[in-house]
Amino acid sequence: MFVPQAAFQRRTNIESWRSTNLWAVLLWQLNEIWPTGGWGSIEYGTPVNGQVIGGRWKPLHYFLKNSAYADVTASCGAARSTTNDAGNVTTGTMLCYLRNDLAKPFQGQVVVRAVNFVTGTVVNSTAGTATLAAGGGSTAFFCPSGPFLLQQGQPDGCSTFAEFFNATKCGPAGGEHCVLEVGVYNSDGTTMAQSTMPLGNPEFMKLPIAKLTLEVLTDAKDGTIRVQVSSSATALYVWLSTKAQGRFSDNAFTVLAGGTVIVDFVPFNRVQTTADTLKASLRVEHLGQYVGAIRDQ
């Protein structure tokens, strides 16, 4: 499984729509028979060898959970004044929003940063404390770089994409060298939303050659199994898969150069699925295996 273009498009569309006075998005479709990219966000699970009963999560389902359908979420893109599907334009003025659909006020932190996968550097472009009234649909806007300031309308003086690329040291190549990470965190540090947003066509990203290693840690008391992923260079949209019956707590994530990420595997049957069962078929992929330095060789 690799992250299909449809997953990026559908996540970005939903996030774009939620910046407007939109109250519901009906997703078509939940599951499908195809174990590859398609309209469905879950692989249809039948009692056939290699399939997960109940459905293996596809990249889109993780995108929906982590940001697009999160109760409190934030996103950035090209500033728009009408409700449209999100496009692939990286020119003109940028704009970000924060939205709270909880039945209680939100107070926490918002962090926007640019990850340069060529140099391995990370630049925080803006960050700050945010407060929003109880939802639904409580929304405010802010600029993706500079001092963090929430406003009810579109702020004046937000950077253009070119200015953002220059300020975050992405250079003229922009999306060929950087992705945008947007995170929302509760006052206790809990992650409310997290997304890695491409700033250009992934096909043309100058991704480095990254060597990833996996370590399956001991079973936790609640039956989950921890998996540690390490990488020699920045790896984007890291994807874990297994024949074991269950799902990962996160997937299609970023591992920074020399860094590690720990995710949980949540078994659907906690008696039959052990660390050894998971390890027997565990595999890892990432975007750099198909584009970037590997492709250019």
Side-chain angles (χ1 to χ4, degrees):
M1 167 60 68
F2 190 63
V3 184
Q5 181 180 359
F8 288 122
Q9 180 188 34
R10 303 193 75 188
R11 180 193 67 179
T12 308
N13 283 349
I14 294 170
E15 290 178 349
S16 176
W17 298 334
R18 287 188 69 183
S19 69
T20 68
N21 189 28
L22 188 73
W23 291 90
V25 176
L26 181 63
L27 180 72
W28 178 268
Q29 60 199 60
L30 179 63
N31 61 4
E32 62 182 357
I33 62 173
W34 312 113
T36 57
W39 287 107
S41 64
I42 294 179
E43 210 177 286
Y44 185 70
T46 55
V48 176
N49 184 38
Q51 292 200 349
V52 173
I53 301 302
R56 182 181 283 110
W57 287 24
K58 295 187 179 185
L60 175 59
H61 211 71
Y62 288 98
F63 290 169
L64 298 177
K65 166 184 172 289
N66 290 344
S67 61
Y69 279 169
D71 291 329
V72 183
T73 192
S75 187
C76 301
R80 294 174 180 268
S81 58
T82 58
T83 304
N84 287 313
D85 287 355
N88 58 358
V89 176
T90 52
T91 58
T93 303
M94 296 181 70
L95 182 65
C96 304
Y97 76 89
L98 174 68
R99 175 162 174 155
N100 178 27
D101 281 311
L102 290 171
K104 60 182 180 180
F106 168 76
Q107 183 171 10
Q109 295 285 321
V110 176
V111 178
V112 179
R113 64 182 192 171
V115 177
N116 190 318
F117 41 80
V118 176
T119 63
T121 57
V122 178
V123 176
N124 281 5
S125 59
T126 192
T129 301
T131 302
L132 279 182
S138 178
T139 308
F141 297 87
F142 62 97
C143 295
S145 59
F148 180 80
L149 179 62
L150 282 179
Q151 298 185 32
Q152 293 305 307
Q154 181 172 332
D156 294 327
C158 286
S159 63
T160 64
F161 279 92
E163 291 167 343
F164 178 84
F165 291 149
N166 183 59
T168 54
K169 304 187 187 310
C170 296
E176 293 183 10
H177 288 184
C178 289
V179 291
L180 188 67
E181 287 194 348
V182 184
V184 183
Y185 310 95
N186 210 342
S187 55
D188 62 2
T190 304
T191 299
M192 303 296 291
Q194 180 77 47
S195 66
T196 300
M197 306 169 63
L199 295 169
N201 190 328
E203 178 184 0
F204 302 113
M205 290 180 176
K206 305 299 184 183
L207 292 165
I209 297 175
K211 180 180 179 181
L212 274 68
T213 57
L214 300 177
E215 182 180 359
V216 177
L217 307 178
T218 56
D219 298 8
K221 292 181 180 180
D222 62 358
T224 59
I225 304 167
R226 312 211 89 181
V227 180
Q228 179 174 287
V229 187
S230 305
S231 182
S232 62
T234 300
L236 298 184
Y237 303 108
V238 176
W239 184 256
L240 299 174
S241 60
T242 178
K243 291 182 179 180
Q245 301 293 301
R247 67 171 180 85
F248 293 95
S249 60
D250 197 11
N251 228 331
F253 50 83
T254 299
V255 183
L256 298 177
T260 61
V261 172
I262 295 178
V263 299
D264 293 330
F265 182 75
V266 183
F268 294 156
N269 187 321
R270 301 193 178 190
V271 175
Q272 297 180 0
T273 303
T274 65
D276 289 336
T277 307
L278 173 64
K279 191 183 301 184
S281 61
L282 182 63
R283 60 176 291 187
V284 62
E285 299 173 84
H286 62 97
L287 181 60
Q289 291 177 247
Y290 307 101
V291 303
I294 292 292
R295 181 200 60 192
D296 295 337
Q297 286 185 340

